[in-house]
Amino acid sequence: MPGGRLTQQERQQIALGLADGLAYAEIARRLERPTSTVTREVMRNGGPTGYRAEIAHRATGHRARRRRQTAPRGAEAPAQPYGRDAEAVRAYEETFTTVLMASGLPRMMARVMACLSLTDTGSLTAAELVQRLAVSPASVSKAIAFLEGQGLVRRERDERRRERYTVGDEIWYESMMASARALTQIVETARQGAAVLGPHTPAGTRLENVARFLDFVSENTLRAAEQARDILHIRPETATDTTV
């Protein structure tokens, strides 16, 4: 299996595979590369519909040069607990970040979310985030404000009265519940519009259909989230984060 960075020819094969509608796993098999390598390559360079081999190749070279310019000599991936492969964890964090970006999160918000999610405690201070991500405190503050507004992160105080940012076991459940409640507000507003415009007019009918569709989605989302939390949720052992 070939190692190292993707070549320009491999990137062209990826582009051809995407154009043919192939799955990431099939493209990776043809290249004799891990599926995660192909997934990360596509997601960080425009996604499946926007991937361009030439642009991706130039962008990768630019990122590599920028890292060499900014990284201190001898910089290594931080040590990991439980015998984890530090480089594999760092590569996975990049993959997780790009997937979060594809779901709609801005880059910095995705980086913070991924960084928090990969800690065993699920909790870091602003200073720890700044150190791990090598970004400014202002960037972290802005990202946290955004994520908190989306219900993805919550603020807590530790025993030293420091503010910590946490992604708990219930974060995705709470975020989904908040999303469902937001849909309920759209449903109510759409039904008001249907009444104003006339329930039997084209515009009124359109809004009523929107209300029915979103009402159905919201109700089933709430039910599914409750059932999934009760049935599927695994309680992890109490973790102490020992990563550097």
Side-chain angles (χ1 to χ4, degrees):
M1 180 178 292
R5 293 177 180 167
L6 290 167
T7 66
Q8 189 167 7
Q9 290 71 27
E10 286 177 315
R11 289 191 167 93
Q12 290 170 347
Q13 287 181 262
I14 290 175
L16 290 173
L18 292 172
D20 290 340
L22 299 181
Y24 294 150
E26 176 60 21
I27 297 173
R29 187 187 67 77
R30 296 185 181 189
L31 293 175
E32 296 184 337
R33 291 276 193 172
T35 302
S36 60
T37 297
V38 174
T39 303
R40 185 166 60 249
E41 166 70 13
V42 174
M43 298 307 295
R44 75 189 307 182
N45 291 291
T49 60
Y51 184 81
R52 300 292 183 272
E54 293 291 337
I55 296 175
H57 196 68
R58 289 198 300 270
T60 300
H62 175 71
R63 284 193 293 266
R65 288 192 298 273
R66 187 172 60 188
R67 280 196 295 269
R68 285 196 296 269
Q69 292 168 357
T70 58
R73 288 181 177 272
E76 298 178 353
Q80 292 287 328
Y82 303 107
R84 295 171 182 145
D85 184 322
E87 288 297 336
V89 172
R90 181 158 65 179
Y92 175 72
E93 186 170 341
E94 274 194 42
T95 299
F96 193 19
T97 298
T98 54
V99 170
L100 289 174
M101 289 169 61
S103 73
L105 283 181
R107 177 168 176 75
M108 181 52 61
M109 290 62 173
R111 290 189 68 198
V112 170
M113 189 68 188
C115 187
L116 287 169
S117 298
L118 268 60
T119 61
D120 287 303
T121 59
S123 176
L124 293 169
T125 65
E128 289 168 337
L129 282 167
V130 166
Q131 181 181 13
R132 291 182 183 221
L133 298 176
V135 296
S136 69
S139 296
V140 168
S141 178
K142 182 178 179 180
I144 289 296
F146 177 91
L147 293 170
E148 190 176 27
Q150 298 296 311
L152 294 172
V153 169
R154 66 173 180 268
R155 298 171 189 257
E156 297 178 344
R157 293 279 182 180
D158 62 17
E159 66 281 358
R160 295 169 58 185
R161 302 302 297 166
R162 296 177 304 178
E163 193 170 72
R164 303 189 69 88
Y165 310 123
T166 302
V167 285
D169 300 328
E170 299 284 312
I171 284 294
W172 289 104
Y173 164 77
E174 292 168 2
S175 177
M176 188 166 290
M177 297 296 281
S179 177
R181 287 192 290 270
L183 286 180
T184 300
Q185 293 181 333
I186 297 175
V187 169
E188 294 175 356
T189 304
R191 288 217 161 104
Q192 291 174 5
V196 171
L197 297 169
H200 303 298
T201 66
T205 300
R206 184 182 306 114
L207 287 176
E208 179 59 31
N209 285 335
V210 168
R212 290 184 180 185
F213 173 78
L214 294 181
D215 193 22
F216 181 86
V217 171
S218 175
E219 181 179 344
N220 281 274
T221 297
L222 290 168
R223 186 182 301 115
E226 291 285 1
Q227 291 175 343
R229 185 178 64 162
D230 294 339
I231 297 172
L232 304 177
H233 192 65
I234 299 173
R235 295 290 179 185
E237 297 178 3
T238 302
T240 300
D241 190 16
T242 58
T243 55
V244 177

